[in-house]
Amino acid sequence: MALITLRRNLCHLSDFRLHGALNTVKNQPVNHVHKVVKEHLCPWFCSLQAEPFRVRFHHACCKKFHSENGNDLHPFGESVYSQVHDWDSFEQNFKNMDEQMFYTRLNNFTSSEEVLSFISTLQTLPDTMAAGALQRICEVGIKDDDQRLSKEILENPIFQALCVQFEQEPSNLSNTSLVTALQALTLLSVDPQSSLLLNLVTECQHRLKRGGLEVHSLCVLAESLLKLQGPGCETLDLIIHQLQGEKLEEFTPEDIVALYRILQMCTEKVDQHQTFLNKINIFSLSIVSNLNPKLISQMLMALVVLDQTQALPLVIKLGKYVVRHIPHFTNQELGKVLEAFIYFGHHDRFFITALEQHVASLYLTLDPEVVSRVMEYCSRKHILSKPILNAVAETFVCHSEKFSPSQISELIEPFGKLNYLPPNASALFKKLEDLLFTHFNSFPPKTLLKLLHSCSLIECHPVNFMARIFSPYFLQQLQGEESYLDRLSLAQLTQLLLTSILECPFYKGPKLLPKYQVQSFLTPCCSLETPVDFQLYKSVMMGLIDLLGARLYFASKVLTPYYYTIDVEIKLDEEGFVLPFTFDEDVHKRVALCIDGPKRFCLNSKHLLGKEAIKQRHLRLLGYQVVQIPYYEIEMIKSRLELVEYLQRKLFSQNAGVHW
């Protein structure tokens, strides 16, 4: 193992074959060191400098020396290094420091300055740990999304010494040090053609062709090359081929997840690697219990990107362990987990309970993206979770300014879809109305339409905005560059028009033009109604035939003039007699049977979805006698005779004058 010597007076010890990092710097003119690092890390290094600068060393022992050009050395970053003890207190050799302790301390640092300060106190540094230090410097030193280190870090002699050492003697590095150093530099916007990276990559390729890299190094190298050269990298195929030849039992859980990440970045090659993926999916079942929250979220996300719908047993098992880790996920990791569960359609009551507890306890501190993802999950799976919905409603009232227009829509829509008004509904929709008045034009047209339509489902009618959305200008914006408006938008506009007529008779503004109105809310792809459950419909139809005496006395799937489709319609004359469905004259009352299967309710509940609630509400306002036949009542019936008696009670108990 190569040792990077960090103290000048140890550079010539016979025990160390490699010159130390600072020794390397010491034996070169200052301008040369600056030139080497500048050349290796260009162009991003150069762009940080307004003018040439001179390297000035500051080290725990450097104050005792003079610079080679005769100038005094001045402390660099005095405030940062003020906590560094005198070197005399660190006379023990680095070998006496436990390796685990080193990495523990390294991972506790939150800035590059802290890392540099720490390693500057060490006597010697093994190359593996030097690579780990370089990686930590890059991880914590990147500012914002710029992927650049600050000028102060780049000018630091310790950082420069590390770069020079790795560039000059890559052949003397261990496999771990080599790939770790390469991985560290890929975190930055380093020129792929820089000599530093080229030397490291060349040495990696040389060892790869010799078959000298173990599993972990192969995984790290593959991810680094993907970042540097993309999925078209020729070396990548050789790495994957070598990984396929290894026994999965010898992979650590971290390496298995790394395999998923590698294949995730090569989606265009998924088909040719599917057999290998199937083996990984099966083997991964045995390591799920050893995964931490970060690895679980990464594995789930990779399964989504790779479209591994056949790996549902793995998703289900991951879901069980997600429940245990929910309090420990970062916002970003939890968002990935929810996205994966939405994709695979996974849910269970234990996960929902844990999610409720997490959201309810941290709702005021959750990231807006996570809040919108939680609401999307509830919406997609029709999960009526009152603790989550109440907490999110309170979050929006308190921190509405944190949410973008799309996030606001994702947050509000589930209330309409799940047909639920939270306890603070008045404050919630008042806040929403104020935001819409202020930022109406900031909302994309389709997002705005979905948002307002969702409000109407739960009788929070957007009367103050109907004139705007029915206007030709908004409809033109809604259409955009397309030659026509999509079917769903037209259906939502039509239902809002019907709402304005039936539930808001005081609205006297513009109406939706007939050419924008649909003829039916029930369509194959983008329906505002849920199709009737066939098996449930078949059972009810047989009972009606026994009750009414013939199929002639009721009609099925009737499209009304008001765009809704009725599951079963029964016509009554003025005296209450049931008429054949072919009769259109002397019809005094129409009975609409809503045969509601499980898909018309929220998950595992007896609570109607918003689109079914508004349908029944509108049918009543249109004069229909609505009779609901829910699946959970039919399931309790054990015989055909019981079914007939049940239908008789449902249809005629409130109409004593009805005859058949």
Side-chain angles (χ1 to χ4, degrees):
M1 177 181 292
L3 292 174
I4 294 180
T5 308
L6 295 178
R7 192 178 181 198
R8 179 171 180 169
N9 61 354
L10 291 177
C11 291
H12 303 293
L13 289 179
S14 59
D15 293 340
F16 304 117
R17 296 297 180 185
L18 281 178
H19 292 300
L22 287 185
N23 187 49
T24 302
V25 178
K26 177 184 75 69
N27 290 329
Q28 302 287 353
V30 173
N31 291 337
H32 172 74
V33 176
H34 176 199
K35 180 175 182 295
V36 170
V37 178
K38 179 178 177 181
E39 289 175 351
H40 300 337
L41 302 183
C42 278
W44 60 274
F45 178 80
C46 304
S47 65
L48 294 179
Q49 307 173 73
E51 59 184 15
F53 65 93
R54 299 171 63 189
V55 178
R56 292 187 179 275
F57 297 92
H58 175 75
H59 190 257
C61 58
C62 281
K63 291 182 180 179
K64 302 175 183 178
F65 305 140
H66 296 287
S67 62
E68 304 222 354
N69 62 1
N71 295 327
D72 291 336
L73 289 172
H74 299 286
F76 169 76
E78 188 68 42
S79 60
V80 175
Y81 294 108
S82 60
Q83 299 177 359
V84 178
H85 298 294
D86 186 83
W87 179 254
D88 292 336
S89 63
F90 291 91
E91 282 300 322
Q92 73 279 14
N93 190 282
F94 181 77
K95 293 178 182 178
N96 295 329
M97 174 176 280
D98 182 75
E99 182 176 343
Q100 184 177 359
M101 183 187 301
F102 172 81
Y103 285 111
T104 299
R105 292 191 63 182
L106 200 63
N107 290 330
N108 286 335
F109 296 134
T110 57
S111 70
S112 297
E113 290 84 357
E114 290 177 335
V115 179
L116 290 167
S117 174
F118 170 57
I119 64 175
S120 71
T121 65
L122 301 177
Q123 185 175 356
T124 57
L125 192 60
D127 61 340
T128 53
M129 298 184 189
L134 179 63
Q135 185 177 38
R136 189 60 180 168
I137 290 169
C138 296
E139 286 175 348
V140 299
I142 298 174
K143 303 301 181 184
D144 301 323
D145 297 325
D146 196 30
Q147 290 188 306
R148 297 168 183 259
L149 292 177
S150 67
K151 177 180 177 180
E152 290 75 14
I153 299 302
L154 295 172
E155 293 180 10
N156 186 281
I158 303 296
F159 177 76
Q160 293 179 349
L162 289 173
C163 292
V164 170
Q165 190 76 18
F166 285 121
E167 192 277 334
Q168 289 183 347
E169 300 173 343
S171 60
N172 292 326
L173 299 173
S174 65
N175 288 342
T176 301
S177 306
L178 181 65
V179 297
T180 302
L182 179 62
Q183 184 183 44
L185 294 172
T186 58
L187 297 174
L188 308 175
S189 299
V190 181
D191 181 8
Q193 300 304 314
S194 67
S195 59
L196 175 57
L197 274 180
L198 287 175
N199 285 0
L200 293 175
V201 171
T202 300
E203 180 61 27
C204 287
Q205 291 173 333
H206 179 64
R207 297 188 193 188
L208 175 67
K209 291 176 182 178
R210 290 186 311 179
L213 295 178
E214 63 280 359
V215 166
H216 180 70
S217 296
L218 287 171
C219 292
V220 175
L221 176 58
E223 289 194 270
S224 299
L225 290 177
L226 279 166
K227 292 179 182 178
L228 288 172
Q229 303 175 14
C233 173
E234 296 180 1
T235 308
L236 187 63
D237 292 331
L238 179 58
I239 296 174
I240 294 177
H241 178 72
Q242 288 195 20
L243 287 170
Q244 288 176 340
E246 301 288 342
K247 294 181 180 179
L248 291 178
E249 291 78 7
E250 298 177 0
F251 285 60
T252 65
E254 291 77 9
D255 293 334
I256 291 293
V257 178
L259 270 180
Y260 276 111
R261 292 196 303 263
I262 293 165
L263 295 173
Q264 175 185 342
M265 297 176 71
C266 307
T267 50
E268 67 279 0
K269 300 180 181 179
V270 170
D271 291 340
Q272 69 186 69
H273 297 311
Q274 188 58 56
T275 302
F276 185 39
L277 260 172
N278 291 340
K279 288 176 59 179
I280 300 172
N281 292 338
I282 294 172
F283 176 76
S284 295
L285 287 166
S286 65
I287 66 165
V288 169
S289 60
N290 298 321
L291 299 178
N292 60 34
K294 180 179 180 180
L295 295 178
I296 288 177
S297 68
Q298 289 179 350
M299 184 179 285
L300 282 169
M301 203 65 249
L303 291 171
V304 170
V305 176
L306 294 167
D307 190 29
Q308 297 298 288
T309 52
Q310 73 276 20
L312 285 180
L314 177 58
V315 174
I316 292 171
K317 189 164 185 179
L318 286 167
K320 292 180 180 178
Y321 282 87
V322 163
V323 174
R324 305 180 184 183
H325 293 301
I326 278 185
H328 310 294
F329 284 112
T330 64
N331 284 333
Q332 186 178 20
E333 290 165 357
L334 181 58
K336 289 180 179 179
V337 169
L338 290 168
E339 185 176 346
F341 285 176
I342 291 170
Y343 184 83
F344 289 109
H346 174 75
H347 65 86
D348 64 55
R349 60 189 179 91
F350 300 107
F351 173 71
I352 295 171
T353 300
L355 189 63
E356 287 175 344
Q357 294 171 351
H358 181 67
V359 172
S361 62
L362 298 175
Y363 67 96
L364 292 179
T365 59
L366 286 176
D367 183 75
E369 185 61 33
V370 174
V371 173
S372 60
R373 190 69 67 217
V374 168
M375 292 298 280
E376 182 185 4
Y377 177 72
C378 292
S379 179
R380 292 279 193 94
K381 300 308 301 175
H382 295 172
I383 299 170
L384 179 60
S385 170
K386 295 181 180 180
I388 290 178
L389 294 174
N390 293 345
V392 169
E394 192 64 34
T395 300
F396 181 72
V397 171
C398 296
H399 301 295
S400 58
E401 69 283 353
K402 293 183 178 180
F403 294 87
S404 66
S406 61
Q407 289 171 342
I408 292 173
S409 179
E410 291 168 352
L411 186 150
I412 297 296
E413 284 177 42
F415 288 98
K417 187 171 184 178
L418 301 174
N419 186 28
Y420 179 72
L421 283 172
N424 67 340
S426 59
L428 174 69
F429 289 98
K430 178 64 170 63
K431 177 68 71 172
L432 176 63
E433 186 177 38
D434 292 341
L435 276 172
L436 289 176
F437 273 125
T438 308
H439 304 289
F440 186 88
N441 294 327
S442 299
F443 285 78
K446 288 188 178 181
T447 298
L448 182 63
L449 177 59
K450 286 194 298 181
L451 176 60
L452 297 178
H453 177 261
S454 297
C455 294
S456 71
L457 297 181
I458 44 178
E459 300 182 81
C460 296
H461 306 301
V463 180
N464 292 329
F465 303 99
M466 283 183 178
R468 293 194 188 188
I469 62 175
F470 291 152
S471 69
Y473 175 72
F474 179 80
L475 295 174
Q476 186 178 8
Q477 284 186 311
L478 193 62
Q479 182 173 326
E481 297 180 358
E482 302 295 328
S483 58
Y484 56 89
L485 276 172
D486 64 280
R487 174 79 186 187
L488 179 59
S489 295
L490 291 174
Q492 290 170 338
L493 286 166
T494 306
Q495 195 166 54
L496 280 170
L497 171 67
L498 190 59
T499 298
S500 70
I501 295 171
L502 295 177
E503 301 188 72
C504 309
F506 51 85
Y507 171 72
K508 303 301 180 182
K511 303 291 185 181
L512 184 68
L513 295 175
K515 68 177 182 178
Y516 294 111
Q517 299 175 22
V518 298
Q519 298 305 308
S520 172
F521 291 138
L522 183 62
T523 53
C525 59
C526 46
S527 179
L528 296 186
E529 297 182 68
T530 307
V532 67
D533 182 279
F534 179 74
Q535 292 299 327
L536 186 62
Y537 164 76
K538 189 175 179 181
S539 298
V540 173
M541 185 180 68
M542 297 302 295
L544 286 173
I545 291 174
D546 290 346
L547 175 64
L548 301 179
R551 177 67 177 79
L552 178 67
Y553 291 103
F554 64 91
S556 301
K557 302 177 183 177
V558 178
L559 176 62
T560 70
Y562 314 103
Y563 324 112
Y564 290 110
T565 298
I566 298 176
D567 298 330
V568 171
E569 183 184 52
I570 298 175
K571 299 176 181 178
L572 306 176
D573 65 11
E574 191 171 0
E575 296 180 3
F577 284 95
V578 178
L579 300 172
F581 73 84
T582 54
F583 278 40
D584 290 324
E585 298 179 358
D586 301 323
V587 177
H588 178 70
K589 180 176 287 187
R590 297 173 186 266
V591 179
L593 266 67
C594 294
I595 305 173
D596 296 328
K599 291 184 179 180
R600 293 184 179 180
F601 295 87
C602 295
L603 183 67
N604 299 326
S605 78
K606 300 177 181 179
H607 191 85
L608 276 176
L609 293 174
K611 61 181 178 181
E612 302 305 324
I614 193 175
K615 173 183 176 179
Q616 295 186 17
R617 194 165 70 240
H618 282 181
L619 288 175
R620 289 189 181 94
L621 291 171
L622 288 167
Y624 286 88
Q625 177 187 330
V626 177
V627 176
Q628 187 182 12
I629 310 291
Y631 76 97
Y632 51 83
E633 291 181 356
I634 297 294
E635 288 177 347
M636 301 297 293
I637 297 174
K638 298 179 181 179
S639 67
R640 196 159 176 171
L641 178 60
E642 285 186 20
L643 177 61
V644 173
E645 292 175 348
Y646 167 81
L647 291 173
Q648 181 179 358
R649 290 194 304 272
K650 277 283 186 177
L651 287 170
F652 306 127
S653 62
Q654 297 177 356
N655 298 278
V658 175
H659 308 280
W660 68 97

